[in-house]
Amino acid sequence: MNAELTGAEITIRCLQEEGVQCIFGYPGGAVLFIYDELFKQDKVRHILVRHEQAAIHAADGYARSSDKVGVALVTSGPGVTNAVTGIATAYMDSIPLVIISGQVPTGAIGLDAFQEVDTVGITRPCVKHNFLVKDVSELAVTIKKAFYIASTGRPGPVLVDIPKDVTQQQTQFVYPDKVTMRSYNPVIKGNSRQIKKAAELILDAKRPMIYAGGGVILSDAAEQLTELARMLNFPCTNTLMGLGGFPATDKQSLGMLGMHGTYEANMAMQYCDVLIAVGARFDDRVIGNPKHFSNENRKIIHIDIDPSSISKRVKVDVPIVGDVLDVLKELIKLLKTEKKKPELPSLKEWWKQINLWRERDCLRFDRDSKIIKPQMVIEKLYQITKGDAFITSDVGQHQMWAAQFYKFDKPRRWINSGGLGTMGFGMPAAMGVQLANPKGKVACITGEASIQMCIQELSTCKQYRLPLKIVNLNNRYMGMVRQWQEFFHGNRYAESYMNALPDFVKLSESYGHVGIKIEHPEDVEGALKEAFKLKDQLVFLDFITDQTENVFPMVPGGKGLSEMILV
């Protein structure tokens, strides 16, 4: 007969059974019994952040870069409300997380107890699922369900809210090998008849286009996507979340599409006759205004694990619900058996047109500038790291330049907040990436506004000796806000100028790190090389960049993809 364990002991045992190696959190009254059990063991490593938002972002970065479920632990009340931004970030980007939150004792729930909030109610709109555990006998199976739900189907964050008295109660510990739920049965295999229809459309295409999103990364299908594209010699574009799903240096890659996508990618999207959407959701920042999406009649194939994403914004012709990896494998297998092949003369003409669009050189910038251009910093970072670093970013102009100028050839190397657009994401996410990949080179590309959102995590980096390289593109503005104010608000820079910035070098040094300020283009390469030579230290690189530089191309809000503002 199994010995009885407390709810706190059961919580830790469940994490051990799931193979969790790293958990991010911040203690508080409602979770002290759980923290006490963490202290007594050495299988699960706890990383103490300085703010609960950072705990979730770090768990998020850990998950995105490792293909594991990220785990965080926060206390009740302000602990969980601080975590909501991180939870919503993970939810929008379909990242598998399990968040364990403390709650006031069951008898105090609903009585406005000290540090009580309705955690289930507050988080319901931004989680895949959540649980409130009122009986210790349900705790183990609930945590098992949380990991199962988070990691299967379309992934997402799952929260388990545990009242303090439940962590003290005792019961026998039995951790189930697997769980089943009548209301949750995600479809993995695609419908064979629909895949057959897709193959027929693909082989008849004269102007084909592959449009690949984050689902390719999440399902570990980059290899299959690359095989499909190369087998057919079709052009491929990736969303912001899909970068690395197809090698950016491949001649068939058209780069990123969307609001700040390349001219060739956006034009090919508009003029193709068969569009193969793989693990993408036709987001507003990707396709612009749906009314203006497509300059020609075309057929759309849409492969996605989530049936609710299909025909949500754009009506599709061949919907295929299933895991991207499984569907691509079956599609490739079917295409290989077909005697018919893509029409080569038409495909040749299509590539000729695409190469004409490429000649617009839409990502050009002034390479002779006497002021540091942010694009040049990213290019130098790419060259020095040989394209093999893990890159996190915050949100804004620097994020778009990173996506445009760092050529991702591998999946799970580009870590950013795409759906929610969360400032403050970059550095804590980089902490999670570094802990998941201790030997990897990790750089956080950020801006002087974003980095201050979670800058206290420099303390966490010091405690755990995380040798991140912070690449701060400092233009003294909230850059993307300023760009929109310039384009659409008559150059009225309302509250976008940052006129009280800290000395980032001294600030970094005060936390025990290395700080370098770079003000001249000729010093950029040397500073980056010096930073990466310091393999065991965090280096904060403060690049003083051109305040007037804007991100191009740009599709204005409400416009179609072909209505780009170019350099």
Side-chain angles (χ1 to χ4, degrees), residues 136-358:
V136 70
S137 67
E138 297 293 321
L139 182 57
V141 71
T142 300
I143 292 176
K144 182 68 178 182
K145 286 178 180 178
F147 276 90
Y148 173 63
I149 294 170
S151 60
T152 56
R154 180 177 181 174
V158 178
L159 182 138
V160 181
D161 200 29
I162 310 175
K164 187 170 184 177
D165 58 318
V166 173
T167 66
Q168 295 171 272
Q169 295 166 4
Q170 293 187 332
T171 191
Q172 288 185 10
F173 174 66
V174 178
Y175 198 64
D177 293 329
K178 60 181 180 179
V179 289
T180 57
M181 286 167 277
R182 285 187 300 173
S183 59
Y184 179 70
N185 293 291
V187 175
I188 303 299
K189 297 290 182 183
N191 183 287
S192 296
R193 283 182 293 179
Q194 292 295 93
I195 294 172
K196 176 73 173 174
K197 286 181 184 177
E200 291 170 356
L201 273 182
I202 287 168
L203 294 173
D204 285 335
K206 292 179 173 56
R207 301 186 307 280
M209 182 70 167
I210 297 174
Y211 151 50
V216 173
I217 310 293
L218 293 169
S219 65
D220 294 315
E223 182 183 337
Q224 286 70 28
L225 176 73
T226 304
E227 182 183 355
L228 177 72
R230 288 176 176 167
M231 180 176 76
L232 298 168
N233 192 31
F234 284 5
C236 183
T237 183
N238 294 86
T239 67
L240 180 70
M241 299 307 301
L243 295 176
F246 183 79
T249 57
D250 192 288
K251 60 182 175 59
Q252 291 173 232
S253 172
L254 305 193
M256 184 175 73
L257 79 160
M259 179 172 280
H260 296 293
T262 66
Y263 183 75
E264 54 267 29
N266 285 346
M267 293 299 283
M269 284 287 286
Q270 291 294 88
Y271 287 94
C272 65
D273 69 341
V274 174
L275 179 62
I276 308 158
V278 186
R281 59 189 181 93
F282 294 90
D283 177 71
D284 59 294
R285 290 292 169 113
V286 167
I287 67 163
N289 189 332
K291 292 179 181 178
H292 306 304
F293 183 51
S294 178
N295 291 48
E296 301 282 341
N297 290 327
R298 56 144 173 251
K299 298 291 185 181
I300 300 177
I301 300 160
H302 191 183
I303 304 167
D304 204 286
I305 189 76
D306 182 3
S308 72
S309 289
I310 292 179
S311 290
K312 187 175 185 177
R313 299 192 75 242
V314 172
K315 189 177 184 302
V316 304
D317 301 280
V318 182
I320 304 173
V321 177
D323 181 75
V324 167
L325 179 63
D326 285 275
V327 173
L328 286 182
K329 282 181 177 179
E330 189 170 342
L331 180 59
I332 290 167
K333 184 179 178 181
L334 181 59
L335 287 169
K336 284 180 176 178
T337 64
E338 290 285 339
K339 293 180 181 179
K340 186 177 180 180
K341 300 299 176 188
E343 192 178 308
L344 291 179
S346 297
L347 196 55
K348 188 176 180 181
E349 283 299 308
W350 180 227
W351 273 112
K352 184 178 178 181
Q353 175 61 70
I354 288 171
N355 288 328
L356 286 173
W357 288 327
R358 275 176 166 161

Side-chain angles (χ1 to χ4, degrees), residues 23-35 38 46 48-49 51-53 55-56 72-84 87 99-105 114-120 122-123 159-164 167:
I23 183 172
F24 303 86
Y26 202 95
V31 288
L32 282 184
F33 287 103
I34 297 175
Y35 268 91
L38 267 173
H46 181 273
L48 175 66
V49 297
H51 191 286
E52 289 88 353
Q53 178 179 341
I56 312 301
L73 173 60
V74 299
T75 195
S76 64
V80 78
T81 55
N82 280 347
V84 168
I87 295 170
I99 303 98
I100 295 170
S101 60
Q103 184 54 276
V104 300
F114 176 66
Q115 291 193 331
E116 180 193 2
V117 296
D118 178 7
T119 297
V120 168
I122 287 172
T123 61
L159 182 138
V160 181
D161 200 29
I162 310 175
K164 187 170 184 177
T167 66

